[in-house]
Amino acid sequence: LMQKGRELKRVVLARAVRWHLEHRILRYRRAVSRIGKPGLVRHSISPEARLSEHLMIYYWWGQLDFGGDELLESFYALAPSDLRAHAMWSVRQFLAQADAPPAAFERLRKLIERRLAAAIQSRSADEFLPELEMFGYWFVEGHFEEQWALTTLLSTLRLTKKTHDESNVVKRLAELCPRYPTECVECLRLMIEGDRERWVVVSVEANARDVLRLALESNVLQAALAARRLVQDLIMLGYYEFRTLLH
């Protein structure tokens, strides 16, 4: 009898959650259709930004997905680049949940792969750069399979040449460099190429030196050559402290 009671409670709760979600989806659908239109009350955090956060929460929980009611597809079709970037930024709060089910992280993996594919296929990849730059926050958490995370970071950097949380990104590259020296040097090179203010090298010098040193000492010829070229480029840019790596 107690078992039947618990089962009934579970069914009732599941139905209640589903009913709540269905009504939420109706509200979200109306909100998505109004993205960018006048008439919304403006706050320090806009209703559109809150909407994007809610969509990411339900996606993380597995209550929303692509190919279902097309709510997420509509959001990404209508949202401007800064709003899509905010949605990616908001995912940071989930990445701290190390005990989350693997399926939740798998959904995030599919999301960034989907956005990368859209950027590559687009005639104007610049529209996607702000959201792709957010992957740096994902990369440093270490919850994803390391080779996939590094390959994905490299793919985003080939488009953006920038990422967020640069200091921790380069620190993570130094940790991965013994196993993936070629990819780590390439990521570092792209970040330096995109650093017009010349701030990245200053802020990550110690870890950048570690990446380059490990690549130079590796048994991977391609990585060693790429590291040597990057050190020479840095010296030409005036970062003379890197000369010691060539001695």
Side-chain angles (χ1 to χ4, degrees), residues 55-62 64-66 72 107 111:
L55 294 179
M56 290 299 100
I57 290 172
Y58 280 106
Y59 178 72
W60 166 258
W61 287 346
L64 284 178
D65 205 348
F66 294 95
L72 290 173
R107 283 190 286 274
L111 175 61

Side-chain angles (χ1 to χ4, degrees), residues 73-100:
E73 286 89 342
S74 297
F75 170 77
Y76 278 104
L78 296 172
S81 60
D82 60 336
L83 186 56
R84 300 196 308 267
H86 182 82
M88 287 294 195
W89 173 86
S90 72
V91 169
R92 292 194 309 168
Q93 62 184 308
F94 314 141
L95 298 176
Q97 302 177 27
D99 58 345

Side-chain angles (χ1 to χ4, degrees), residues 7-61:
E7 180 65 19
L8 178 60
K9 184 177 180 180
R10 185 189 66 79
V11 171
V12 170
L13 179 60
R15 288 179 177 176
V17 169
R18 187 62 198 173
W19 180 89
H20 176 76
L21 178 60
E22 288 174 352
H23 281 72
R24 282 268 180 166
I25 286 176
L26 291 175
R27 292 173 57 191
Y28 290 156
R29 193 182 300 282
R30 288 194 293 269
V32 165
S33 68
R34 297 186 63 199
I35 287 176
K37 294 181 179 179
L40 290 176
V41 177
R42 297 296 170 183
H43 304 279
S44 56
I45 298 180
S46 73
E48 294 173 345
R50 288 299 190 199
L51 168 65
S52 71
E53 294 171 7
H54 288 191
L55 294 179
M56 290 299 100
I57 290 172
Y58 280 106
Y59 178 72
W60 166 258
W61 287 346

Side-chain angles (χ1 to χ4, degrees), residues 24 31 36 51 76 86-87 119 150 171 197 221 231 247:
R24 282 268 180 166
L51 168 65
Y76 278 104
H86 182 82
L150 183 57
K171 181 180 179 180
E197 295 80 15
L221 179 59
V231 171
H247 298 160

Side-chain angles (χ1 to χ4, degrees), residues 7-232:
E7 180 65 19
L8 178 60
K9 184 177 180 180
R10 185 189 66 79
V11 171
V12 170
L13 179 60
R15 288 179 177 176
V17 169
R18 187 62 198 173
W19 180 89
H20 176 76
L21 178 60
E22 288 174 352
H23 281 72
R24 282 268 180 166
I25 286 176
L26 291 175
R27 292 173 57 191
Y28 290 156
R29 193 182 300 282
R30 288 194 293 269
V32 165
S33 68
R34 297 186 63 199
I35 287 176
K37 294 181 179 179
L40 290 176
V41 177
R42 297 296 170 183
H43 304 279
S44 56
I45 298 180
S46 73
E48 294 173 345
R50 288 299 190 199
L51 168 65
S52 71
E53 294 171 7
H54 288 191
L55 294 179
M56 290 299 100
I57 290 172
Y58 280 106
Y59 178 72
W60 166 258
W61 287 346
Q63 300 296 322
L64 284 178
D65 205 348
F66 294 95
D69 52 29
E70 298 188 351
L71 179 59
L72 290 173
E73 286 89 342
S74 297
F75 170 77
Y76 278 104
L78 296 172
S81 60
D82 60 336
L83 186 56
R84 300 196 308 267
H86 182 82
M88 287 294 195
W89 173 86
S90 72
V91 169
R92 292 194 309 168
Q93 62 184 308
F94 314 141
L95 298 176
Q97 302 177 27
D99 58 345
F105 290 106
E106 177 65 12
R107 283 190 286 274
L108 295 185
R109 185 184 66 81
K110 290 181 178 179
L111 175 61
I112 191 65
E113 289 178 347
R114 186 183 185 96
R115 302 309 299 156
L116 256 174
I120 292 170
Q121 295 167 11
S122 173
R123 294 181 178 179
S124 178
D126 290 351
E127 288 282 321
F128 296 82
L129 302 190
E131 59 183 301
L132 295 180
E133 290 171 7
M134 295 295 171
F135 184 71
Y137 291 122
W138 300 25
F139 175 74
V140 301
E141 290 294 336
H143 293 316
F144 301 99
E145 192 275 322
E146 61 183 28
Q147 186 170 16
W148 174 86
L150 183 57
T151 300
T152 304
L153 177 68
L154 183 54
S155 297
T156 62
L157 285 172
R158 283 172 176 160
L159 292 173
T160 66
K161 293 191 177 182
K162 288 186 177 183
T163 191
H164 286 279
D165 205 5
E166 296 98 335
S167 60
N168 284 321
V169 166
V170 179
K171 181 180 179 180
R172 180 65 175 151
L173 290 176
E175 296 170 354
L176 296 175
C177 196
R179 296 183 292 284
Y180 311 99
T182 304
E183 294 86 348
C184 289
V185 171
E186 178 67 4
C187 286
L188 181 60
R189 181 185 67 80
L190 290 168
M191 291 176 66
I192 292 172
E193 285 184 3
D195 181 25
R196 296 181 179 177
E197 295 80 15
R198 296 198 178 185
W199 172 247
V200 170
V201 177
V202 174
S203 63
V204 303
E205 180 183 341
N207 288 315
R209 288 179 64 90
D210 287 341
V211 171
L212 294 168
R213 176 181 55 80
L214 289 166
L216 288 167
E217 295 173 354
S218 72
N219 295 322
V220 182
L221 179 59
Q222 182 181 357
L225 291 174
R228 177 172 288 274
R229 285 194 297 269
L230 183 51
V231 171
Q232 292 169 342

